[in-house]
Each structure stands twice: as structure tokens, then as C-alpha cells.
Amino acid sequence: MASLDNTGWSVPGLLLVLLLVFDSDVLHVHGLEVSAEKMSSIEAMNGSTVLFNCKYHSCIGIHNLYFSWHYNNNGTMDKLCDGVVPSEGVEPRVKVEHQRVEFVGSSKKENISILLWNITFEDEGEYTCFARNPKEKDRNHSTTFTLTVVSQMREVDNTLTVIIVSVLGGVIGLVIIVMVIKALVVQFLMKDDEKNKECLVNASGNDNTENGLTGAKADNKGTPKA
């Protein structure tokens, strides 16, 4: 018969709960994650090449990690490429299904990125990076990139930034100049104060010498004869 504690739980029951909590924590807190290494919103010029930089990570490790890239074509998910990473550090087996797509990832860097060559305005939309890890009971995760194609790149107006930097530079320069002037003035005053002290000491010594000589002369006078 299973023993009960003061709360009414049996020891096997407590062990089962602890195991479930631990297993849930491992799977969901430290599980597989797929993320955009840089920006998830990309603006590129017509005719250029775009890098969709995607990485995966799992604290538990991977085994036959499956990944894929899809393009959302007005609600229809068109597959661009997919592949399997057998294990950590082993390069994936990749199948590319789009003529302008190139796989540039590496399992050594947990990277499953792709390039899209010679983009057109028709390539605008959402691109999804997906991964599934059988080692984590097929836990899966994904991240989505949004591509905007433009005829020419917009010029960024840096006027305000230049003004702010210039003002800050001027203020910092002024503060430095004030501190240098203050240091020079303090040094000059200290030197002048030292000179005044030396002058007072010398003057005091001269006064004492004169007083001593006068007294000596007075003492050397003879006593009047009766």
C-alpha cells in the first residue's frame, strides 16, 4: 500500500507530478527555437539578392532536424526548399525547389539561411522558416520574414542626427575647454599663493633681525656713573 504524506499525496504520485513538471519544463522552456538572426522585415531593391538569415537552437540537442522554407503566395504556401540535419555538426541534406533560391546555411553554426536571387516585385510577401525536432517529440517552431521590393532605396535624412551630434560635440568641447581653463587658473592661484607665503616669511624674518639688533645696542650702553 502506498504511503501518504500530510497533504494526502502518495509518494509515487508526488514523483509522477515532479517528473511531469520537469519534462514539461525541458520541452517548453529549453526546447527548439527558430529565430531571425537580424531583421524580420526586409526592404530590397528590384533585381538585387536577398539573404533570409534564419537560425535554430535547442539546449537538448537535435536528431534528424527537419526544416523548410515556404513563401505565402496569396494564401498558398509554396515550398522553396527543405532538408534534414542528421545531428549536430553534420551538414544537412537539402532539396531546393525554386530556381532562384540557394541554401547557404551550415549546421556547424545552427544556420538554415537561404538566398533569393534577382528578386522582382512579384517576390514581395512573407517567407517562413520552419523547423521540427524529433528528439523533442516533434516539437516545432518557425519565424516569418516580410519582404518589400522597391525600385530604388530610400535616402535616409540624417540632417537631424548631424545637428544633434554637432551640438553634443560642441557642448563636450566647451566643457573640456572650461575644465582646462579652470585647472590653469587654479594652478596659477596656487603658485601665486605660494609666492605670497614666501614673501610673508621673508618679511617676518627681516623684522625679527632688526628688532634684535636694536635691543643689542640698547643693552651695550654703559650704566651712568653716580
Side-chain angles (χ1 to χ4, degrees):
M1 182 176 181
S3 61
L4 299 176
D5 62 8
N6 294 332
T7 62
W9 285 91
S10 65
V11 173
L14 285 172
L15 291 175
L16 179 60
V17 170
L18 290 173
L19 287 173
L20 288 174
V21 171
F22 176 77
D23 185 61
S24 174
D25 178 70
V26 168
L27 289 178
H28 298 286
V29 177
H30 304 290
L32 177 69
E33 291 184 356
V34 176
S35 60
E37 188 172 8
K38 294 183 180 179
M39 297 181 296
S40 58
S41 295
I42 302 173
E43 184 177 283
M45 193 166 60
N46 182 34
S48 64
T49 299
V50 176
L51 172 65
F52 295 102
N53 208 337
C54 183
K55 299 192 72 174
Y56 65 87
H57 179 69
S58 173
C59 293
I60 299 174
I62 63 168
H63 177 69
N64 288 334
L65 175 80
Y66 172 79
F67 67 91
S68 65
W69 281 89
H70 286 81
Y71 168 63
N72 188 351
N73 187 5
N74 296 322
T76 302
M77 301 302 288
D78 294 340
K79 184 188 291 184
L80 304 177
C81 77
D82 65 349
V84 175
V85 183
S87 59
E88 296 179 21
V90 179
E91 295 302 330
R93 303 183 297 269
V94 184
K95 181 181 179 181
V96 178
E97 300 189 15
H98 192 287
Q99 60 182 359
R100 288 186 289 114
V101 168
E102 178 185 356
F103 179 79
V104 292
S106 173
S107 61
K108 294 178 181 178
K109 297 181 179 179
E110 298 183 332
N111 192 302
I112 47 177
S113 303
I114 61 171
L115 286 175
L116 180 61
W117 293 86
N118 194 25
I119 63 172
T120 66
F121 291 103
E122 295 179 353
D123 293 324
E124 283 191 333
E126 296 181 344
Y127 293 78
T128 301
C129 175
F130 170 86
R132 182 178 65 246
N133 189 14
K135 191 172 183 178
E136 300 178 60
K137 299 180 181 179
D138 285 336
R139 175 176 171 81
N140 60 78
H141 198 238
S142 64
T143 187
T144 300
F145 298 79
T146 302
L147 174 64
T148 302
V149 183
V150 295
S151 57
Q152 61 180 9
M153 300 302 291
R154 291 176 295 180
E155 294 183 2
V156 180
D157 187 3
N158 294 322
T159 304
L160 181 59
T161 303
V162 172
I163 292 174
I164 294 174
V165 172
S166 299
V167 171
L168 288 176
V171 171
I172 294 172
L174 182 61
V175 170
I176 293 174
I177 292 173
V178 170
M179 292 178 66
V180 171
I181 294 174
K182 181 180 178 181
L184 292 174
V185 170
V186 169
Q187 187 176 5
F188 175 78
L189 292 176
M190 290 178 64
K191 288 183 177 180
D192 189 59
D193 188 51
E194 289 177 358
K195 289 181 179 179
N196 291 334
K197 288 181 179 179
E198 291 177 359
C199 183
L200 291 173
V201 170
N202 293 332
S204 177
N206 292 333
D207 290 342
N208 291 335
T209 302
E210 291 177 358
N211 292 333
L213 291 175
T214 304
K217 291 179 179 179
D219 293 339
N220 289 332
K221 290 182 179 181
T223 304
K225 294 181 180 180

